[in-house]
Amino acid sequence: MTQHDSVQDMLSQTLQASDLSAKQKAVLRASLTLFSKQGYDRTSTQDIAALAGVSQGTVYKRYATKHDILMALITPFFSEIIPKIAIDFTHTIQERHFPDFGDYLTFVVSDRLEFVIANRELVRILIAELFNDQHEASAILAMMGPTAGKVSHDVTAVLAVYQRDGQLVDWPVPRIVRYVAAVVVSYALPRMVFDGHDGALDVERSTREIVEFLIRGLSPEDSPVLGAQG
């Protein structure tokens, strides 16, 4: 996995660099740890106060509800952490210069699956909030607008090379990205939602299956890849 720091580490570092008071930082760091380890629903404000070394009154002074604490974590997650991860990853891909589209897909799929597995507990909690309130979801996703444009530009430049080489179907890049994301999510989502109760994800095997499917779906009709696999 190219992103060596976990989401929890990155969020903790972001909170440490914020202008919050020491007690507020302690409350958020404790919440982050507990939400990740035992889940949002199973964590009480009493648990948070105990781990943070403050009174429950101190917690409520800044955060009226546990949901307010969660939102205080979600905001930097989407406004700072996700953009940084996305930009760093696109730069990593550009630096590697994969001449073969299959190798490119293998790297991308494997790395992102490993990232999801490494961070599934916390990411599941944060992502779940997007489904609870449509208004909040729209506001949160809007935070990533500038980064999305930058990443889209970089991805377009990479995929355009494979299209010129005849390795990739001549579709608009957003359509290709949605196609790839949908297939990867179909493998990763059960581990995010059910916390691996359907079995551990075999990254190597899953990557192989995903890439085989994507190559078939994204290769031009006259591609030799299709001819060899058909």
Side-chain angles (χ1 to χ4, degrees):
M1 184 173 62
T2 56
Q3 183 59 57
H4 296 295
D5 289 336
S6 70
V7 169
Q8 184 172 347
D9 291 338
M10 296 176 73
L11 264 175
S12 182
Q13 292 163 11
T14 298
L15 294 176
Q16 185 59 38
S18 70
D19 58 1
L20 296 171
S21 70
K23 288 185 177 180
Q24 291 167 354
K25 290 178 182 178
V27 168
L28 291 182
R29 282 198 300 269
S31 302
L32 182 61
T33 298
L34 292 170
F35 290 167
S36 179
K37 286 184 176 180
Q38 62 190 41
Y40 174 76
D41 292 334
R42 294 188 296 275
T43 298
S44 68
T45 53
Q46 183 177 358
D47 295 333
I48 294 170
L51 184 59
V54 300
S55 68
Q56 279 190 271
T58 298
V59 176
Y60 288 126
K61 183 177 180 180
R62 171 76 183 192
Y63 308 104
T65 67
K66 191 170 64 170
H67 179 263
D68 290 339
I69 296 175
L70 180 61
M71 288 306 299
L73 295 173
I74 284 178
T75 298
F77 174 72
F78 284 99
S79 65
E80 299 180 45
I81 305 304
I82 289 297
K84 182 181 187 305
I85 290 172
I87 291 174
D88 288 350
F89 187 58
T90 54
H91 287 170
T92 297
I93 294 172
Q94 289 175 318
E95 292 170 357
R96 288 179 176 255
H97 301 295
F98 295 101
D100 181 79
F101 182 58
D103 292 340
Y104 167 83
L105 274 180
T106 297
F107 175 80
V108 170
V109 171
S110 176
D111 188 273
R112 294 301 84 184
L113 286 177
E114 290 182 359
F115 179 82
V116 167
I117 292 172
N119 297 283
R120 65 183 179 274
E121 293 88 356
L122 181 59
V123 174
R124 184 182 67 250
I125 294 167
L126 298 177
I127 294 295
E129 182 60 24
L130 292 178
F131 296 94
N132 290 337
D133 187 305
Q134 186 61 46
H135 178 71
E136 270 185 2
S138 298
I140 290 170
L141 292 176
M143 299 176 189
M144 300 187 293
T147 301
K150 174 66 167 62
V151 171
S152 177
H153 177 272
D154 293 343
V155 171
T156 297
V158 172
L159 297 186
V161 174
Y162 297 121
Q163 289 178 326
R164 288 196 299 270
D165 290 346
Q167 298 186 53
L168 178 62
V169 66
D170 189 21
W171 289 349
V173 169
R175 181 181 177 186
I176 295 173
V177 171
R178 286 196 301 270
Y179 189 89
V180 173
V183 177
V184 174
V185 168
S186 72
Y187 274 75
L189 191 59
R191 280 76 190 176
M192 297 286 287
V193 175
F194 300 110
D195 199 22
H197 291 311
D198 57 342
L201 180 66
D202 185 329
V203 173
E204 184 176 350
R205 177 180 176 181
S206 297
T207 298
R208 187 168 57 251
E209 292 175 356
I210 291 171
V211 170
E212 179 181 358
F213 180 78
L214 289 173
I215 288 293
R216 286 180 173 272
L218 295 174
S219 294
E221 291 183 4
D222 58 349
S223 169
V225 174
L226 281 183
Q229 295 183 349

